[in-house]
Structure formats: structure tokens, C-alpha cells
Amino acid sequence: MTSRSCLTIILAAGEGTRMKSSMSKVLHPIAGLPLVGHVVKAVQGASADNAASALAVVVGRGAEDVQKAVGKINGSARFYEQRERLGTAHAVLAAREALNTHHDDVLVVFGDTPLIEEQSLRAAREKLADGADIVVMGFRPENPTGYGRLIEEAGKLVAIIEEKDASAEQRKITFCNGGLMALNGRHALSLIEAVKNDNSKGEYYLTDVVKFAHAQGLNVVAIDVPVENVIGINNRAELAEAEALWQARKRREVMLSGVTLIAPETVFFAHDTQIDADVVIEPNVFFGAKVTVASGAVIHAFSHIEGAVIGADTSVGPFARLRPGARLGEKSKVGNFCEVKNAEIGIGAKINHLSYIGDSTIGHDTNVGAGVITCNYDGYNKFQTVIGSNAFIGSNTSLVAPVTIGNGVYVASGSVITEEVPDNALALGRSRQVNKAERATVLREKYKAIKASKNK
Ligand code: UD1
Ligand code: CA
């Protein structure tokens, strides 16, 4: 495999009007990554060990947003514009410049088919390496309506007939075209150039290359790939179905790698979530992008986590919110109804109840009491709160940033801290308590009398 070079062409010029969206169809996300991004990742995975691999993406008119999204994942992708949507073969030919350079393998995949797996792409390329000239990714859907049917004779694929052009007899065939195709680079361009638009839709069908290749005595085969590999997304209901399939796959992968999910169907991962073995995740947890969780951590129920680095043996939640830049040191705790943003929480530090910690660093073994708030924003700018190690921040304290609290400090509950507190100091930032003897009894008598006078 390694000795073969590969060109992959992703067709992403779809109109996607059925998404009812101002955004390109292939940019709609699954697990936080655009549809086309999933395809790019699978393609990269399948050609990671290649001698040479090139990626060409065919986009619609002025689809700069698509180029940007793909560019973020693959810096060397080349983009080609298909100005008119005249069919899948026409779309491939938009990338003629890429096809002019010889590659052993040419893969054509769709940008709206996000669940394509590396293994399926590899399987198709292995067939090419074994001497096939065209490999079509076939599948067996429960309902084949709308798909091109694969016409086989003696184990060879002889034609693909689109639903609209198929006879009643051909429509009974359940082996369908998934749309994705691998071609021998020696024949790809000439076969695709031969395609005409002589069908009921008046489109240039890539699928026609099969009958041309067969007529020339070339070796054309279909492989059978799992259904979800080739499901295309056309509307938001299908987007949600694909999301569900992706999540199911990821949950299984995560569990098999040693993570406990108590109710897997209620846990949602992002495309890049990384979780070490021996992490326990309770029900109803959501992971946004860029989260890593180290071994021994327990994520309690109903936590929402994004952009966070969660250290080993930590405890998060229930009902915790970790926002981008939250970095939890080993054995630290962020408990119920706490929000942490852009903050470093030291080893063994505890923020157990009802806190907001933003733009902060907290040293090791510091205890942050219930309801402590870092006041990091004045409506215009954000400021930093620095808390040392082994400190104790009493409940319901407001830390008005910028402010620094030293090591071993004790802050009295209910304080509003606006000035630096040196190491080991006791800080009291509240008004003194006054007790007025017997005054409660007097007040009660007075109020009772007022009520009685009204009820007369
Ligand atoms: C295609 C296949 C069909 C297969 C089905 C699987 C053809 C002719 N038919 O049909 O056999 O069963 O996929 O889902 O290939 N595109 C462009 N430019 C175009 C036309 C299409 O970029 O001018 C892109 C679309 O964005 C899409 C893909 O090519 O990603 C497939 O096009 P689509 O029109 O959806 O083809 P189907 O009719 O679904
Ligand atoms: Ca389609």
C-alpha cells in the first residue's frame, strides 16, 4: 500500500437547499466538526502511510467558507470550483488539473457522507492494488429507493443504473451504489471524460464510467461497505441521524478503550474528545471541542465541558460547567453548580459548590468555599485573580480582579476582596456585625400591632 500514490477528490459542490440554511451543507457539524471535515479526516487516515497523497476538493461557486474549514484540517488541500452543477462526473472534471498529474489510485468521495470510515477507503484501495481498475463502494440499504443500483454479472460490476433510469426489474436490486469510488489512475481521466449527459436528469453521471470500463474489458468490482459509511446528509433530520450514529460509534470506541459510561446513550462527545482508561462518566454529560480527561477522573452527571484539560483522579460535577481554558490539576475537585473558565486549578484544590472561577490561577490544596465568585469583568475588560496554595477562601466571597491572594491565606466568609492579601494573612472584607439586645421582640410586637389594626 505504501508504495502507491493516491489522489482523493472530495465533491463538495452540493447546493444543500434542503438544509434550509445560509451555511453550506458540508459545513454543518457532527460532533462539532463540519461534515466535510469528517471526510477529510477519514481520507487522511486512509493515506497516512502513503508514498504520496494529494487532496482535491471541488467546491461550489465562491465557497470560501468551505475552503477555510478544510484548510484548517489539511493545509495542502487544493480547491477547484465547479461553477455549474452539471453532475458528479462534471464535478470530478473540475479537478482536471489534479487528475493530470499521475496517481496510482484516484478516490472520489462525497463531502456530505461524513461517516465514511478509513477501513472502507483502505479496502477499496486494496482492491486496486490487487488489480481492479474501478472499485465501487456498494451497500445494502433497508430501502433502496433513490439510489443507483449495481448491476453485476459473474462477480463483476457491469453498470450502475440510476433509480430514474432503471427498469422495474432493475429497481428490485437491493445492492446499491454508495457513491464513493476508487479508480486506477491510469484510466480515471479518460473514463470520466467519456461521460455524456444522456440520461433522464440530463446530468453527467460519474457512475457511467462503470459501463465504459466494462466495455473496454477493464476489471470493475463492487465492495460491500456498512450502510452508515455511505449515508449522505440532505436535511437536518438526516444530520441528527448521522450525529446519533457517530455518537454510538464513539461511545463504543471509548468504552472498549477502558472508560466506564454508566448510561452511554446519554453521553455526547466531540470529534476530538480524548479520554484515558479508567475514567468514569456518569449519565447526561456533554463534551464540546478540545477536551482531554486523564485516568481516574470521575465526571458526575449533568456536566457540560468544553476546551478543558481534566487531570488524573479529579472529580467534576454533578452539574459542573467547564469552559475553554479550564485546567484541572490532579486530584482537584470542581463540584456542583460551579463554572470554571480560563483558569488553572492546582493539584488537590477544591471548588465544591456554586462558584464562578474565571481568568484565575489557584494553587495546590486551596479550598474555595461555597458561592465564591471571581469578579473578572468590569463590562469592558477582563482581569486576573491569583490565589496561592493552601489558602482557604470563605464562602460567599467576591474576589474583585485584578487581585492576588497569597499562600496560606484565610479569607473570612462573605468578604469582598479588592486588595492584595499577603501570605498567611487573615482577610476580612465585610462590615462588622452589630447585635441589638431584645430588639427582635420589640419589632415583633410592633409588626403584630400593625397587622391587627388592618384586620379590624
Ligand atoms: C449519487 C449516485 C448514486 C448513489 C448516490 C449515493 C451519481 C450519478 N449517482 O446519487 O448512484 O446511489 O449518490 O448517495 O453519482 N455533486 C457535485 N456537483 C454536481 C453534482 C453533485 O459536487 O454537479 C456532489 C454533491 O454535492 C454530493 C455528491 O456529488 O456530495 C452526490 O451528488 P447527488 O446529486 O447527491 O447524487 P445522488 O443523486 O444522491
Ligand atoms: Ca445524494
Side-chain angles (χ1 to χ4, degrees), residues 11 13-14 82 85-88 91 110 112 147-148 162 177-178 205 207:
L11 304 189
Q82 185 196 23
R85 204 174 185 279
L86 300 180
T88 42
F110 296 164
D112 65 354
Y147 292 109
E162 291 304 299
N177 177 24
Y205 286 164
T207 45

Side-chain angles (χ1 to χ4, degrees), residues 107-191:
L107 251 55
V108 179
V109 301
F110 296 164
D112 65 354
T113 307
L115 301 181
I116 181 68
E117 285 175 298
E118 203 181 303
Q119 298 93 284
S120 298
L121 296 171
R122 281 180 189 273
R125 294 190 59 202
E126 269 157 30
K127 289 274 178 200
L128 290 182
D130 289 347
D133 293 300
I134 296 183
V135 185
V136 169
M137 291 199 212
F139 72 117
R140 298 175 196 278
E142 258 171 51
N143 175 11
T145 309
Y147 292 109
R149 306 299 205 283
L150 301 183
I151 316 291
E152 287 180 305
E153 276 169 22
K156 298 287 170 201
L157 190 62
V158 299
I160 301 176
I161 312 287
E162 291 304 299
E163 164 104 4
K164 279 197 168 170
D165 304 302
S167 67
E169 204 53 36
Q170 287 168 331
R171 283 184 193 181
K172 286 186 190 150
I173 297 171
T174 54
F175 196 23
C176 292
N177 177 24
L180 317 187
M181 200 183 274
L183 303 100
N184 177 337
R186 259 184 298 151
H187 305 293
L189 185 56
S190 64
L191 286 169

Side-chain angles (χ1 to χ4, degrees), residues 324-328 339-346 351 356-363 368 372-376 382-388 399-403 405:
R327 302 178 303 282
L328 275 51
E339 175 179 342
V340 176
K341 183 215 74 169
N342 187 31
E344 174 111 38
I345 312 301
I351 307 158
Y356 171 63
I357 303 296
D359 302 313
S360 306
T361 64
I362 297 180
V368 175
V372 170
I373 304 291
T374 55
C375 310
N376 62 328
K382 302 262 167 75
F383 302 95
Q384 204 62 32
T385 299
V386 177
I387 305 175
L399 302 167
V400 183
V403 70
I405 316 274

